[in-house]
Amino acid sequence: MTVILKQIFQLLKLLNSETGTHQIAWGVALGFVLGMTPVFSLQTVLVILLLLFLRVQIGAALLAAFGFKFIAYLLDPVFHEVGHAVLSNAGLKPTFTTLYNMPIVPWTRFYNTIVMGSGVLSLALTPVVFFASLFLIKKYRKNVYEKIRHSKIMKAIKATGFYKLYMKYEEFYG
Amino acid sequence: MAKTEKKIKKKGPIRTEAIIPILILVVLFGLYFKYYFDSHLRYGIAYGATQAHGAEVNIDRLKTDFLAPSLSIYNIQITDKSDPEFNIVQVGEVRLQLLWDALLRGKFVIPESSILKIQSHSKRKRRGRILPPPAKSSAKGQVEQAAETTISQLKQKNESNILADVFSVAGGTDVKDQLKKMENEIQSQQKIKKLGEELKVKEKQWKQKIDELPDESELKQLVKKVEGLKIDTSNPKALQASLKSVDAVYKEARAKYKTIEGAKKSLSADIKKYEDEYKSLENLVKADIQGITEKLNIPSLDPKEINKMLLGNLVAAQLGNLYRYKQAAEKYMPTKTAEERKAEKEEQALTPTERAEGIDFRFPKKKSYPQFWLQKAQISSSSKQGQAGDLSGTLANLTNNPKHLGLPATFDFKGGFPHQKILDVEGNITVDHTTDSPEEKGFVKVGSFPVEKNVLTRSDDVELGYNKANGSSKIEFLMKNKSLQLSSQSLFSDIDYYSSAKKPKVAELLAGVTKGLDNLDLNVRARGSWDDLSLNINSNLGQKLAAAIKAQISGEIAKARAQVKNHIEGLINGEKSKLKGQLAKIEQQLGVSLQSREAAIDSVKKSVDEKKKSATQKEKKKIEKKAKDKLKNLIKGIKF
């Protein structure tokens, strides 16, 4: 429970920071791909490398991956259906046969219906997730965050010794 | 107040600050692989090989290359478990070139490799460490158990020390006292007593049973009853009534006959059983003589037995080695089961397999390697390279999945080790695990090799062996499933025998035998399954030793054997003939009583048959007469 609460606070902190909106949105999008992938495979390594080398919010990616993992679990039957449809497509069979016989490529486990289904759907939905995140972050900062910041409760909290202590902690340890 | 504005530098899409830590990481990895990986791998391989071999395996140096994937191992020393001061094999260099295409598929394929500077039986700098033997698994396979039994039986033969027994008897042994003490152990005597007691009880039972049978007077009365019956043939009705009364007597007689017949059959079966038991006594007596003879350590002078005793250990070592190699081949080159093969076929046929999560699609494999495949290793060694041997050969298609590869592993070699005086070595071994019936076959020939000290027999009284000799050997074998076919011919020459014995007569005999035996041959033929191995060990040593012993002390041995035979037969023969007499008496007495009853019942049967026959004849004639009369009247009545 503490871990989940910590993750929620981290997300709120991220949202309330001055970190670039695009970075968070890309983080959520890449986290979405990570969360949808059912097993640790070559594409997971690729996404992690992208997270390391591109200026995207790693925290957002990890939180998104954590969140989408639960949704992905529920979507497994859909992934299976999509993956099955793609893999049993006669027109694609020569391509898959070639990929299957290539070095390294089989390590992606593309021949698994859920891996293929989640891969196809997550790739197709990445732009959607990116723009949706962008939109929601902007809305949140404009409406929700500003309202909370200026609310009486927030002002009362900010006046407490505990908050000051927290701010001191933040100053030293970030 | 000048307003200072901090200009925030816009950051690009690449996380440059991450590049340095990652670069540091890459450099650290690079440095590790450059300076430490080889030594760690060397340690790992040496440790793994030591565990697998059961004795210390050392590797001096190891070098890997990642760009052109290759592995070079220098100076591999494999400790000889039986003599840790020496190595079984020492290999100067092994170069393995790996295939990138396979590595990227997570497989290890070695298309070409070289094994150089091979030495056999080289001296180690320090004594090799021997690991304690692994705890034996209680769940052994049938074949494994059978093989171990066969090998241990041979070793037992070697330890049985027939020669010591021979010479002990040669000194003159009186076994009378020992025989008296062993009388209780004579099985045949106990059996005779038991049979005699059984027969007495049976005799009583039979007498009682015969007494219960209808006696002769009873049967004679039946005859009289039949004879007294008058057949009324005046009319058919009266005739039928008369025949019915005859039938009633007949039925009574028949019931009595059945009782007597049943008793006769039962008695015959019992008699036969005891006759068979009596016959089996002969074998029991033979077994008693053999058993007591063995217990008294009176040896046989069978050259085959002497060969097994003297040379059993050498053969056991050969068989043991062969079996260990077979086990290793089965462990590292397993044959897949039919189910596994079926799964592989399904893989080719694009059939989806159910998985815990989703389904794995299988596409036709155009190119697939087994997990490990040593395509070809060229063995090349020259005696010009220090202590190494002159050896050339090829090791091909060594794999962990022979069925997948479909090619048998082959190993052929030729050469010698002049420094170790091992010359004219040649061999060809094929390990075919590609089918459901795994097969290992081949031959190994060594033209000449030095033989170290070997004890042929050792006891308190006598010791025989040789300090050194020169040997040559050829072994051919075929192992298929559980069966083994092996034929080996070995010849030992320039033998430096040694012998010692407490008794001068024995010492003289041994010296005489070894003096005339310049060449010792040993021919072994083994056929059959590991649990029923027909083993034939032939050697001129056994023959010559048996002949020499026969010439000098066969009289003593024969005397001791005869003593045992006479003693047992003396004990048994009286009891045996008594039993035979008892059996004959019962057969005669009971048989006679039964015979008289049988004769009586036969006469009843005869009288009934005659009575019935005469009545039937009379009636027949009467009917014929009537028919004739009626025919006559009919002819008279017809007027033309």
Side-chain angles (χ1 to χ4, degrees), chain A residues 118-134:
Chain A
S118 66
V120 168
L121 283 178
S122 57
L123 275 179
L125 292 173
T126 301
V128 179
V129 173
F130 172 73
F131 287 113
S133 308
L134 215 59

Side-chain angles (χ1 to χ4, degrees), chain B residues 383-395:
Chain B
S383 58
K384 286 168 192 163
Q385 303 162 310
Q387 290 289 308
D390 291 310
L391 206 68
S392 63
T394 318
L395 175 64

Side-chain angles (χ1 to χ4, degrees), chain B residues 463-516:
Chain B
E463 189 169 345
L464 174 66
Y466 49 80
N467 289 314
K468 60 176 185 174
N470 192 32
S472 70
S473 185
K474 187 184 177 185
I475 301 173
E476 283 175 273
F477 63 89
L478 169 67
M479 289 184 278
K480 200 166 185 175
N481 293 327
K482 290 175 185 175
S483 71
L484 164 75
Q485 278 184 43
L486 176 132
S487 129
S488 101
Q489 292 97 39
S490 305
L491 184 73
F492 300 94
S493 56
D494 304 326
I495 309 166
D496 175 17
Y497 288 105
Y498 71 89
S499 62
S500 63
K502 273 185 184 172
K503 292 173 187 170
K505 194 177 166 186
V506 176
E508 198 185 312
L509 183 142
L510 285 176
V513 168
T514 52
K515 201 177 173 186

